[in-house]
Each structure stands twice: as structure tokens, then as C-alpha cells.
Amino acid sequence: MNYATIKWTDIANGEGVRISLFVSGCTHHCKNCFNQIAWDFNYGLPFDEQIQEKIIRELSSDYIAGISLLGGEPLEPENQIALLPFLTKVRALYPNKTIWCYTGFTLDEESGALKEIEKNTPQIHKLISMFDVLVDGAYVDELKDIRLKFRGSSNQRLIDVQKTLQNGRMVLYLE
Ligand code: SF4
């Protein structure tokens, strides 16, 4: 997996001050996407051990609330496979930091996987179970609303992943 950019102190993409990792590769191609350059899976730099270790080091700061994954599309199958071992480490080292993920796919609350079943890898359940908040749904330019918190268009949902998986029904984190 490649990544397009990293914001080390981001307050726009989740609660608190966060590290935001923008991965490369996205097949949604939403109209007026904010980050078209990251559609290309080969854009940016390799998400290698060195950058993973740097993120893990930076996450130790008290003022960092957690990490947000954006793109590109973090849940493209090849990106799911790359992110799982990294997030497993983050979870083990920092159980009290939060993990937010932005996806253009849709969560199926009953199965705990993506509704777009062809995009689910065998790792998808484990990966989604590591998220605190999943912002799902592709960006729809006609539904753009700048008053919305932490998302671009009104079709996108801020899902409380842990409560949703426990209950087997959709629980929103924020309306
Ligand atoms: S899912 Fe995100 S990165 Fe992909 S095209 Fe839509 S807005 Fe752009």
C-alpha cells in the first residue's frame, strides 16, 4: 500500500487532535472528490516499516487522541490487507486511543462487513472491529453540507462501530 499524505495534528477528521493517514487508491471516483490525486494506487510513498514506526511513536503523545484513516479508500481490498497488521499494533499499544476510518463503502450492521460483498477480504471483520467510528458512504456532491461535523455530504453516517457490532443494529456516533 502507498499513502498520499499524513497530517500529524489534524482536528478536522475526527474528535480531538489526531494523526490522519491518507492512503492511496480509490475506485469510487466521486464527483468533486477533495483528493483526486489519491485515486491512483501508486501515488505517494510506500507505507513501509519506517513510516509505520514513526506514526506509532507520534501516537504516544498525550495530546494525540488517536488516528484517522482516509484516502483514497482505506477499505479497498489491498488496503485492508496492509492496514490490518498496522492497526493490530496500534490497538495493542494504545488501547485508549481511538481509531476512525472514512470509507466510501457501506457498513452492513448485521454481518459486520461491507455491503459491497466483493470488496470484503477474509480480514474485513477483524479490521472493522478495531474501529471506534466508521464514517461510511461515498461523497455525494449534490448532498454537500458544510454544517455537517466530520463529513462532507448528508448521506454519510458517523457510526459507533463497537455499539453497532454488539447490538447487530446501526448505532450512530453523531446524528
Ligand atoms: S471515496 Fe473519498 S477519496 Fe474516493 S473518490 Fe470519494 S471522496 Fe474521493
Side-chain angles (χ1 to χ4, degrees):
M1 183 181 84
N2 274 16
Y3 69 97
T5 190
I6 295 172
K7 292 186 180 173
W8 296 101
T9 52
D10 189 8
I11 55 166
N13 295 298
E15 280 181 338
V17 181
R18 315 184 63 76
I19 296 174
S20 290
L21 168 66
F22 294 76
V23 307
S24 296
C26 180
T27 55
H28 297 290
H29 298 186
C30 306
K31 181 178 151 194
N32 288 335
C33 162
F34 73 109
N35 198 13
Q36 295 189 20
I37 201 160
W39 290 359
D40 179 357
F41 284 80
N42 295 316
Y43 179 74
L45 296 168
F47 190 60
D48 57 17
E49 282 295 322
Q50 208 180 348
I51 193 64
Q52 292 182 38
E53 279 166 21
K54 181 167 165 52
I55 294 172
I56 283 171
R57 267 198 315 276
E58 296 294 323
L59 275 167
S60 69
S61 300
D62 287 344
Y63 66 89
I64 297 290
I67 184 165
S68 294
L69 311 169
L70 307 95
E73 170 58 78
L75 299 187
E76 293 288 356
E78 42 275 81
N79 293 344
Q80 293 174 27
I81 291 163
L83 286 170
L84 182 64
F86 170 67
L87 292 181
T88 303
K89 267 190 227 163
V90 170
R91 258 289 162 252
L93 287 168
Y94 304 114
N96 297 323
K97 306 263 178 185
T98 56
I99 301 176
W100 285 46
C101 178
Y102 284 74
T103 180
F105 299 120
T106 316
L107 181 69
D108 181 273
E109 59 264 44
E110 280 178 32
S111 69
L114 302 176
K115 277 194 176 148
E116 298 81 359
I117 48 176
E118 73 284 0
K119 294 289 184 177
N120 288 319
T121 64
Q123 290 90 342
I124 191 67
H125 289 100
K126 195 158 183 213
L127 184 61
I128 287 178
S129 74
M130 289 184 190
F131 301 152
D132 294 284
V133 176
L134 182 69
V135 185
D136 83 343
Y139 170 69
V140 177
D141 202 43
E142 290 74 19
L143 298 176
K144 178 179 177 180
D145 185 345
I146 56 168
R147 296 165 302 178
L148 293 168
K149 252 185 146 179
F150 306 132
R151 61 206 143 138
S153 59
S154 59
N155 61 301
Q156 295 172 312
R157 306 178 294 183
L158 271 88
I159 299 168
D160 185 323
V161 175
Q162 298 306 313
K163 287 186 182 160
T164 296
L165 295 182
Q166 277 161 23
N167 298 339
R169 63 173 177 79
M170 183 58 57
V171 179
L172 295 181
Y173 187 74
L174 275 182
E175 292 291 338

